[in-house]
Amino acid sequence: MENIHLTGTESRAAASSTAASSAAALSTAAPTTATPSPSAPRTATPRTAGRLHAALLVAGSCMPVLGAVLLAPVLPTLSQAFAGTPGVAILVPLTLTLPALFVALFSPLAGYVADRVGRKQLLIFAMLAYALFGTAPLWLETLESIALSRVGVGIAEAAIMTCCTTLITDYYAGEQRNKYLGLQTMVSALAATAFFALGGALGSISWRTPFWLYAVSAVIVIPMIFKLWEPAKTQRTTAARTSVPWRQIGAPAAVTLFGGIVFYALIVHLPYVITGLGVADAALIGLAAAIASLATAAGAISFRFLAKLGTRSLLALAFGLAAVGLSMVSLAGNVPLAMAGAVVASAGTGVLLPTLLTWAVSGLEFRQRGRGTGIWTGTLFVGQFLTPIVLGTAAAALGSLSFALGALGIACAVALLAVLVRGPRMVPASH
């Protein structure tokens, strides 16, 4: 798992001197005193992160995944519950994707705060806010107020995602860092599968029931408070004066904007496709979405073995699979064919995200890391937010959601050709 995504997050210079950079980044111990006590001599020992710290950060990284997919199976039920609300056809999908807009808007700001003020305290505050806003729909009575609570979820997600990813790159170095960043990708994808299934099962009880799961962040934050620490505190004083290399991030961020739309197309709309094919049971809809999400996890895991092919080849593979899968879903006249297409497309998007992130953040220094991660995260979630708008507009223009998904498949084929003609090369992980 050592080569799964984000292998280029560390700067090239730091990667070639793992031991030195790890010691500098992890040292937060108190300075030794001028006159040590004879009975209890004090030494400055750098803190070392282990499996528990990685587990907490990976678990925290699953919170934005929970927010993105948990409600997908109950969107049709939510539409029925608020059928009398004006604009329900737009507002209900936005309850799923509205957090993405605010992740997009606030991730760069979260990255700046993480670089300038500190990762841990921002993460703790965001985890508590996530629990508060995430469970709010349990007692809210209007669709408008529920949508407003989702804004708070999105702002909290921006900080959580940025801080967890940045802390992993701070706490660990070299192969160990690659291992845990790869684990983050795999666990997030598998968590999405579980959340789809849970969302469908709980949604069969009531459309409100899935919102209880947002309270899990209030549980995870407790060990975070006691076990996590601020890394390389003295380096943050100059973080605000260190510019972000926009030339490096610009191209992958632009591709990520389109990639975000492709990634979330079926997450948002597969339940509607399955419903349109005659399935009304929320649990079955959740199962179908979980199968597609499992294919995403498989694609992410395969990045470990495919990374040596280079970014250009991986992007071509990802967009090619997405083009084929979306076309299959568009033409499907039955559930098995639609699911086969969803699996193919999801496998492609599972390869797509770690490839884009590796391309975007390779070479970033410690003082740029929070902002670089925040910029990429924000761009991805702009794509997520735009997904129902783009596909909804396309469906209205073309006459159906199926045609809109087919058009997106054609766009992926065009992206494939563009990558083959002029695409990036993978920065070697050893740099």
Side-chain angles (χ1 to χ4, degrees), residues 6 53 71 78 85 141 228 246 339:
L6 291 172
H53 307 91
L71 303 184
L78 198 60
T85 302
E141 297 295 335
L228 301 183
W246 288 102
M339 285 308 306

Side-chain angles (χ1 to χ4, degrees), residues 86-98:
V88 63
I90 297 296
L91 283 175
V92 168
L94 283 180
T95 61
L96 180 66
T97 60
L98 191 60

Side-chain angles (χ1 to χ4, degrees), residues 5 43 170 263 319 336:
H5 87 109
T43 58
D170 289 338
F263 184 84
F319 283 128

Side-chain angles (χ1 to χ4, degrees), residues 3 30 82 140 152 167 192 218 235-236 273 289 300 336 378 388 403 411 422-423:
N3 290 323
F82 293 96
L140 296 176
L167 279 171
Q235 295 192 37
R236 292 201 305 269
V273 172
F403 288 158
R422 187 177 181 180

Side-chain angles (χ1 to χ4, degrees), residues 31-59:
T32 54
T33 57
T35 306
S37 169
S39 59
R42 299 176 60 188
T43 58
T45 304
R47 301 183 69 173
T48 302
R51 294 180 179 179
L52 174 60
H53 307 91
L56 291 173
L57 294 173
V58 168

Side-chain angles (χ1 to χ4, degrees), residues 60 64 91 177 275 334 343 373 386 406 415:
L91 283 175
R177 175 187 293 175
T275 300
N334 55 67
V343 166
T373 303
L386 291 177

